Amino acid sequence: MTFKDALELKSQLGKDHITQDEMTMRVFVTPADHDDFTRYVTDYRTSRFTDETSKQYSLNGQFKVHGLWTDGANVLFKDLSK
């Protein structure tokens, strides 16, 4: 989806996503491509990201919406675009 479409979906979902086991994940627009997303998540662990940051990582201009959680070393994610 386009960045604009992903932002619209995020606005519908809200800034946080609660998983079924009650973990709170932050909702972000992320790159859709697997390799781009992997690079994004690797850097996400140690950086402060905004939705705009995903544009720097998406080589094909396609995006998804993910819930992300990190403890600084590990990152858990859930695709919320489906």
Side-chain angles (χ1 to χ4, degrees), residues 63-76:
F63 300 90
K64 287 186 174 183
V65 177
H66 278 92
L68 300 173
W69 175 91
T70 186
D71 62 4
N74 302 297
V75 177
L76 299 176

Side-chain angles (χ1 to χ4, degrees), residues 31 33-44 57:
D33 178 78
H34 176 74
D35 292 336
D36 295 346
F37 180 72
T38 300
R39 287 185 306 110
Y40 175 94
V41 167
T42 299
D43 291 346
Y44 175 80
Y57 289 84

Side-chain angles (χ1 to χ4, degrees), residues 7-65:
L7 277 179
E8 288 176 15
L9 177 58
K10 179 187 173 181
S11 72
Q12 294 171 10
L13 296 171
K15 70 176 191 163
D16 293 321
H17 172 75
I18 309 295
T19 64
Q20 61 191 16
D21 57 346
E22 299 191 23
M23 177 182 288
T24 301
M25 299 179 133
R26 296 291 314 261
V27 178
F28 285 97
V29 173
T30 62
D33 178 78
H34 176 74
D35 292 336
D36 295 346
F37 180 72
T38 300
R39 287 185 306 110
Y40 175 94
V41 167
T42 299
D43 291 346
Y44 175 80
R45 293 178 300 134
T46 58
S47 303
R48 291 192 175 263
F49 279 10
T50 66
D51 294 321
E52 294 289 325
T53 306
S54 65
K55 291 179 179 179
Q56 299 170 12
Y57 289 84
S58 179
L59 299 179
N60 66 3
Q62 293 298 300
F63 300 90
K64 287 186 174 183
V65 177

